[in-house]
Amino acid sequence: MRLVKVILDGFRSFGTKTSIDIDELTAFIGGNGVGKTTVLLALNKMFSANASDRIIKASDFFMNPQNTDVPVLERKLSCEAIFEMSSADTDANRAASATFFSRLAVNGEGEKPILRIRLTARWIAQGPADGTIDSKISYVVSSLNTNAKDENLTEATRFDLNNIRMIYVPAVRDPDKQLGRSSSSILARLINNIHWEKETIDKIEGKMAELNQAVLGESGAKLISEAISNSWKSYYQDPRFSEVSLTMNSNSIGELTKKIHMNFESTVSGRKYLPEEMGDGTRSLFYISNVASVLSIESQLSKSTNPFAGEPSIYLQQPALTIVAIEEPENHISPHLLGKLIVQLRNISELDNAQVLITSHSPAIVKRVEPESIRYFRIDNRNGISEAHALSLPNRESDVEAYKFVKQAVYIYPELYFARLVILGEGESEEIVLESLFRKAHGPLDTAGISIVPLGGRFVNHLWKLLDTLHIPYVTLLDLDVERKGGGWGRVAYILQEIIKLDGNIRLPIESNQAIDGNYIDHLKSREIHTQDDKRILDEVVLALEEYHVYYSNPLDLDFAMLEKNPDLYKATAGEGHGPRINDNGSKVLFDEYFDQHQNDPDADQRIGEAVRQSLKKEGGKGDSYSDEQKKLMAWYNYLFLGKGKPITHILALADMPGDEVRDCTPKFIERLEDDVLRQLDGEKIDE
């Protein structure tokens, strides 16, 4: 059997009915206090082996933060776990089917039977100072497609519920008390059920009796025993308890097994170490390893074909399912061990009798979990209600390339899940330049919770949809690439097409009353730019797209825009006496020096044309929409960015940019983008 869904209503921060799908290994992510732990606590209230964990308290009921002044006489909550029964032929599944058979329901023809277990509770403002609480756990014998009535509810006994085991490890933990207790208890359960041969029992108990006699026969031990006995007789005369003596309390094999413990032996010194001598992180890994070992043994024992020859080595009635729930598994564990930890947890989840739930704030953990198995939690600050969302990914069947691209993107940049705002950019230049400009003008991006995700503009609508699902605001910065193949109107047509997929309607200053639909977008793709006037019309549209939080590095890309805004700063990165050169009568001459000396040279246009062709690529235009100064800068653009490399050029230039003049050094479209970011972050001040 498998847990497939949890439904919460009125429990803690889940003020409205919320359904959360569960996989074999499911990761809950999101900020602090958004409801991730609440889901684990709900399951613990239902299935914990510790009675104290199952107690419902007044604080478990949802309270609307907007109505704190209004007296409430009654509150209700509901926590439901839905399990899907497996067809696998194992002892555990057969036992589960036998235990829960009369409680199963079916949603539809051909679907697997489901088991619904629901915890309900009611708080009434009477009786004790904190009110009176009634709670119960019931089976819901009806499909998910129908509303359960009272006749569909039957009591779920604790004896039956023990077939579902919950191992819950909170975020703030002592590995010995919490992880250790879980692993030790399930390990002791196996040890206590080992099948001991009678000859072995007789031999061990005989040796233990000899040990008892030898130790307690010492004169010092006899003296202590006699003193205790004589003193006791002076107080109490009941013949049942009249004789008292020392004993090692290990006269049976059962007592001996309670003293079994593990230690580690150094391959260097030969010294033996106890788990208590490990660091917290190492102990966490070790105890989780113990849980995995026990579950693996139970899984083997549950197989229909007994892996042990003859008499079973362990007599055991294992639970039908073990749910291992670990909050923030990255706690205490160094980053290089997190990969091993996730592999261990994934191995547990792949067993027939176990599932794993984790909560995390660590991108290092999240990037190792399948995006389909991530549930993103947020809280609506207006009403204090938690929400849980699966990620919106492209369809893996019909849109294979987009699916692979977006999935890979969230693997590489998992920090986007934890961002307050995401800037989607083209590549490395956007990462370096935007971070530096923003930091100099407003403060570090990390402090503001802003992530820059360079994705090259591909499949941008899927990333918008993903971020919309997560309720994370975003802005997009793309290259305009005017007069490059597919650039200019082609770039605008592409983004209009993506906006329409999400928005449906869009109004831009192109032609009056022109409906922007698929046909018109196809027309825009073939539209060319030959004059400065053509470029002016394009600029109007580009500016209008900023209303949709889409910005363009105009006219070419961010590298060219930064060079145009700060020509001296970027040229200085080449070093004195270095820069683009041209062939002048067989000798290499610096580009700038040549034009200083040959301003009226009829070959000057040809020299510039060569630089333009290199910048705009083989199938690009002639640069007619660019100014003369922009054309001259293309020689430097080629030298600095297409030659030396974009990252190193930007790093050197930005390092020398004075912080007090950063606004004067920033292209206008970047200024507007920064203002948009600050508006979406509610204008909060960003400090160091």
Side-chain angles (χ1 to χ4, degrees):
M1 62 186 291
R2 276 283 186 268
L3 176 66
V4 294
K5 194 182 296 289
V6 176
I7 302 174
L8 304 180
D9 189 2
F11 182 67
R12 297 203 170 194
S13 59
F14 287 89
T16 57
K17 189 173 183 178
T18 304
S19 178
I20 304 152
D21 292 332
I22 306 295
D23 295 329
E24 274 71 17
L25 189 155
T26 310
F28 299 158
I29 67 172
N32 292 319
V34 295
K36 305 185 299 296
T37 298
T38 299
V39 181
L40 305 187
L41 290 176
L43 292 170
N44 211 39
K45 296 281 185 186
M46 301 171 72
F47 303 115
S48 175
N50 300 317
S52 59
D53 292 340
R54 302 195 299 266
I55 297 173
I56 300 296
K57 304 174 183 177
S59 59
D60 291 325
F61 294 82
F62 173 75
M63 290 181 285
N64 192 328
Q66 294 181 336
N67 298 328
T68 53
D69 296 333
V70 180
V72 178
L73 302 179
E74 181 180 14
R75 293 190 178 96
K76 294 181 180 180
L77 66 78
S78 170
C79 306
E80 184 170 334
I82 300 168
F83 301 86
E84 188 176 85
M85 305 306 290
S86 172
S87 57
D89 187 20
T90 64
D91 288 342
N93 285 328
R94 285 194 295 271
S97 297
T99 301
F100 301 118
F101 180 77
S102 62
R103 319 299 185 188
L104 301 181
V106 178
N107 282 327
E109 185 177 351
E111 296 190 26
K112 292 180 180 179
I114 61 171
L115 172 68
R116 300 176 62 184
I117 300 176
R118 180 185 294 172
L119 164 66
T120 55
R122 183 176 67 156
W123 173 87
I124 302 174
Q126 65 180 32
D130 56 353
T132 301
I133 297 174
D134 291 323
S135 65
K136 64 179 179 179
I137 299 181
S138 308
Y139 297 112
V140 184
V141 190
S142 68
S143 71
L144 291 173
N145 304 323
T146 59
N147 293 323
K149 300 178 181 178
D150 290 342
E151 57 265 29
N152 301 124
L153 304 178
T154 58
E155 180 185 1
T157 65
R158 183 51 51 187
F159 180 81
D160 287 350
L161 294 177
N162 285 339
N163 281 280
I164 301 167
R165 177 172 57 197
M166 181 81 177
I167 299 175
Y168 171 52
V169 183
V172 179
R173 56 181 177 257
D174 179 336
D176 290 334
K177 292 182 179 179
Q178 293 160 338
L179 279 170
R181 182 177 60 189
S182 297
S183 62
S184 297
S185 62
I186 63 176
L187 186 63
R189 187 166 168 266
L190 287 182
I191 292 173
N192 292 336
N193 285 280
I194 291 175
H195 168 67
W196 300 96
E197 298 290 343
K198 187 177 185 307
E199 293 180 3
T200 303
I201 295 174
D202 292 341
K203 184 186 295 185
I204 292 174
E205 292 185 349
K207 295 294 183 182
M208 290 164 60
E210 291 179 18
L211 180 62
N212 248 319
Q213 186 176 359
V215 173
L216 301 178
E218 286 291 313
S219 58
K222 286 182 179 180
L223 180 63
I224 295 171
S225 183
E226 289 173 1
I228 292 173
S229 179
N230 292 335
S231 178
W232 173 243
K233 287 177 181 178
S234 68
Y235 286 100
Y236 200 68
Q237 304 299 324
D238 190 321
R240 294 175 299 169
F241 309 110
S242 61
E243 296 294 334
V244 60
S245 61
L246 294 179
T247 177
M248 290 180 65
N249 201 27
S250 295
N251 292 320
S252 68
I253 197 167
E255 295 296 334
L256 182 63
T257 58
K258 293 178 182 178
K259 295 178 171 56
I260 293 177
H261 66 273
M262 288 169 282
N263 59 35
F264 303 84
E265 185 171 342
S266 170
T267 58
V268 178
S269 65
R271 182 197 160 190
K272 288 182 169 58
Y273 295 87
L274 296 174
E276 293 76 27
E277 297 178 84
M278 295 175 165
D280 286 348
T282 310
R283 272 183 289 168
S284 290
L285 286 175
F286 174 63
Y287 289 127
I288 291 172
S289 175
N290 285 348
V291 173
S293 300
V294 171
L295 293 174
S296 177
I297 292 171
E298 290 182 349
S299 180
Q300 292 181 52
L301 292 171
S302 72
K303 300 288 175 60
S304 56
T305 302
N306 196 322
F308 306 105
E311 193 75 21
S313 296
I314 302 174
Y315 294 109
L316 188 66
Q317 180 62 45
Q318 68 269 21
L321 177 66
T322 296
I323 301 171
V324 180
I326 303 179
E327 282 191 88
E328 300 174 25
E330 63 268 20
N331 285 1
H332 307 302
I333 297 177
S334 60
H336 75 280
L337 290 176
L338 291 180
K340 291 184 178 181
L341 173 64
I342 288 297
V343 169
Q344 188 108 63
L345 294 176
R346 185 175 291 112
N347 289 339
I348 292 175
S349 72
E350 291 173 353
L351 296 171
D352 294 333
N353 59 340
Q355 283 177 269
V356 175
L357 304 175
I358 61 175
T359 70
S360 182
H361 296 120
S362 170
I365 289 282
V366 173
K367 73 179 182 181
R368 290 175 167 89
V369 179
E370 292 292 326
E372 294 90 341
S373 297
I374 290 175
R375 306 292 175 262
Y376 179 82
F377 287 70
R378 68 179 295 272
I379 199 160
D380 189 332
N381 292 322
R382 295 170 299 178
N383 52 30
I385 294 178
S386 290
E387 302 173 359
H389 303 275
L391 302 188
S392 176
L393 298 172
N395 187 289
R396 67 189 308 170
E397 303 296 334
S398 61
D399 205 349
V400 178
E401 187 180 3
Y403 171 79
K404 290 180 178 178
F405 180 84
V406 175
K407 185 173 179 178
Q408 189 65 24
V410 296
Y411 272 143
I412 298 173
Y413 300 101
E415 61 270 15
L416 69 84
Y417 294 126
F418 307 102
R420 290 175 59 215
L421 183 140
V422 172
I423 300 175
L424 298 172
E426 292 276 1
E428 289 181 309
S429 293
E430 281 69 19
E431 279 191 283
I432 296 169
V433 173
L434 293 179
E435 192 282 330
S436 180
L437 294 179
F438 201 96
R439 173 170 44 80
K440 290 175 184 289
H442 309 287
L445 288 174
D446 287 344
T447 303
I450 299 170
S451 290
I452 299 176
V453 180
L455 297 172
R458 300 184 64 199
F459 308 113
V460 71
N461 71 302
H462 293 295
L463 291 160
W464 289 345
K465 190 174 181 181
L466 171 63
L467 293 168
D468 282 337
T469 300
L470 304 179
H471 296 272
I472 297 175
Y474 53 87
V475 297
T476 306
L477 178 61
L478 303 172
D479 294 340
L480 190 54
D481 286 335
V482 173
E483 293 197 54
R484 278 181 174 169
K485 183 181 179 181
W489 285 110
R491 295 285 184 268
V492 168
Y494 164 73
I495 216 67
L496 286 173
Q497 180 176 287
E498 302 307 299
I499 292 175
I500 289 172
K501 288 178 182 177
L502 296 182
D503 199 312
N505 297 307
I506 188 170
R507 294 289 182 268
L508 291 175
I510 303 178
E511 277 88 7
S512 90
N513 300 321
Q514 172 64 55
I516 299 178
D517 54 19
N519 292 331
Y520 191 71
I521 287 174
D522 288 340
H523 159 70
L524 288 183
K525 289 179 181 178
S526 59
R527 192 166 178 170
E528 297 181 352
I529 299 174
H530 296 293
T531 65
Q532 300 259 343
D533 192 54
D534 293 338
K535 177 63 168 51
R536 180 187 56 77
I537 297 173
L538 176 64
D539 288 343
E540 292 179 7
V541 175
V542 165
L543 191 62
L545 279 170
E546 293 180 4
E547 294 182 20
Y548 297 86
H549 311 294
V550 176
Y551 295 80
Y552 280 98
S553 293
N554 193 354
L556 194 59
D557 55 22
L558 185 57
D559 309 312
F560 187 83
M562 289 298 293
L563 172 62
E564 184 179 17
K565 188 69 175 178
N566 308 281
D568 294 337
L569 196 63
Y570 274 84
K571 288 179 180 181
T573 64
E576 188 175 352
H578 295 276
R581 294 176 180 271
I582 60 175
N583 193 335
D584 183 29
N585 296 322
S587 62
K588 294 289 186 179
V589 181
L590 287 172
F591 187 89
D592 286 356
E593 289 182 2
Y594 174 85
F595 279 96
D596 287 342
Q597 299 170 8
H598 303 81
Q599 293 184 8
N600 300 317
D601 192 323
D603 293 333
D605 288 343
Q606 179 183 346
R607 307 287 193 184
I608 294 174
E610 292 172 359
V612 170
R613 279 192 294 276
Q614 188 177 351
S615 296
L616 301 182
K617 311 298 182 183
K618 183 179 178 180
E619 297 178 337
K622 298 179 180 180
D624 293 337
S625 64
Y626 290 84
S627 69
D628 291 340
E629 287 303 314
Q630 288 175 328
K631 293 177 186 179
K632 289 181 182 179
L633 277 178
M634 287 184 181
W636 277 98
Y637 171 84
N638 300 332
Y639 176 81
L640 293 173
F641 299 111
L642 304 186
K644 289 181 62 178
K646 298 180 179 183
I648 186 61
T649 299
H650 285 303
I651 290 170
L652 292 174
L654 294 167
D656 292 332
M657 179 181 291
D660 55 350
E661 298 177 13
V662 64
R663 204 67 170 173
D664 296 331
C665 302
T666 302
K668 292 298 182 183
F669 63 87
I670 297 296
E671 288 186 16
R672 296 193 296 272
L673 182 148
E674 290 178 354
D675 292 342
D676 188 353
V677 167
L678 295 176
R679 280 195 302 273
Q680 293 197 64
L681 292 177
D682 298 323
E684 297 178 17
K685 184 175 175 57
I686 302 168
D687 297 320
E688 291 278 359

